[in-house]
Amino acid sequence: MRAIVFDFFGTLTDPAAEAGRRESFTATAAALGVPADRFWQAMGASFPDRITGRYGDTRATLRRIARECGTDPAESDLDAAVRAQQAGAVLVRPPRPGVLDLLDRLRAAGYRLGLISDCSSELCEAWPETPYGPRIDAAVFSWQQGYRKPDLRLYEAVSARLGVPAAECWYVGDGGSREHDGARRAGMRPVLVTNAAYPDAAALRSDPDPYTPDLTIPDLDALPGLIET
């Protein structure tokens, strides 16, 4: 096995941060002049389209969401909303404890590192400046590709960018978006991170995977012991 492909939210990021996602939207809603509850509902309803790029970049997305909520924001309000949205996005993607050192260790061991994330525009726009960006050799985002997990084209894309056949890739994630079934069908070897120390995290995952891999670990720090045996 020559490469490891990771999920992002709840796998590389701190699973506890997911609970703050709704709160992270509060300042954006205020900047747009939209009630916070209405904004949250609109963002949730638009999630499948937002993460496949159909709403455009962050500015275009917020303009469209505001209009769907009955508000036509001024450009200055949009400026403030974009800043608030980007700041809120930072709050829900802090690194999982120890994960940056883990990524460095895996790269030093010779593994190519990939990523597949179902995400909206904020992560794509900020990716090069995140602490993850320099550590990942090939990142594939649903927002850029136009389709989401478990679409096999995402797994094919990351394999091609890594230059490693799917059969030589581990796939590591917390089980949202039917990602492990997709990895299995793509020919990768899936590993489930159960996040045992975060018992409430599973409820926050969208479209949970009915397929459970044979290989499971309670936390990401157990990954080296698994793949190096």
Side-chain angles (χ1 to χ4, degrees):
M1 305 292 279
R2 297 165 45 204
I4 307 167
V5 179
F6 293 96
D7 167 51
F8 187 65
F9 292 106
T11 300
L12 296 185
T13 67
D14 186 343
E18 285 291 308
R21 187 171 293 276
R22 182 167 184 165
E23 185 179 349
S24 75
F25 287 163
T26 301
T28 307
L32 293 172
V34 174
D37 287 349
R38 181 71 185 92
F39 182 74
W40 171 254
Q41 292 167 1
M43 290 293 277
S46 65
F47 178 75
D49 290 327
R50 287 190 296 109
I51 67 169
T52 49
R54 293 183 177 88
Y55 273 47
D57 64 11
T58 300
R59 188 180 189 87
T61 294
L62 296 179
R63 186 194 304 275
R64 181 167 172 178
I65 292 290
R67 287 174 174 171
E68 290 176 1
C69 293
T71 300
D72 193 5
E75 294 302 313
S76 59
D77 294 332
L78 272 176
D79 291 340
V82 169
R83 289 193 297 270
Q85 184 71 4
Q86 291 170 338
V90 173
L91 298 178
V92 297
R93 61 171 187 255
R96 187 188 198 102
V99 75
L100 301 181
D101 289 341
L102 173 63
L103 295 176
D104 291 340
R105 173 181 169 184
L106 293 171
R107 292 187 81 191
Y111 288 103
R112 297 276 289 163
L113 302 184
L115 178 98
I116 300 175
S117 180
D118 280 355
C119 66
S120 51
S121 56
E122 297 90 343
L123 179 60
C124 302
E125 292 166 354
W127 183 252
E129 286 73 50
T130 70
Y132 312 96
R135 294 173 162 89
I136 298 295
D137 299 299
V140 172
F141 302 112
S142 64
W143 182 78
Q144 292 177 328
Q145 300 298 117
Y147 32 85
R148 59 185 295 193
K149 291 182 279 190
D151 194 301
L152 294 183
R153 289 172 290 183
L154 296 170
Y155 303 88
E156 292 165 357
V158 77
S159 175
R161 294 180 193 181
L162 288 169
V164 178
E168 297 183 44
C169 296
W170 299 94
Y171 181 86
V172 182
D174 67 335
S177 305
R178 294 176 287 153
E179 60 188 359
H180 291 111
D181 185 53
R184 176 186 61 83
R185 291 187 292 112
M188 297 181 180
R189 190 169 189 188
V191 178
L192 170 64
V193 184
T194 64
N195 287 331
Y198 305 89
D200 298 327
L204 301 173
R205 298 267 53 83
S206 65
D207 197 9
D209 201 333
Y211 165 73
T212 301
D214 293 334
L215 300 175
T216 65
I217 52 178
D219 199 283
L220 202 60
D221 60 8
L223 182 63
L226 174 68
I227 66 176
E228 292 168 5
T229 57

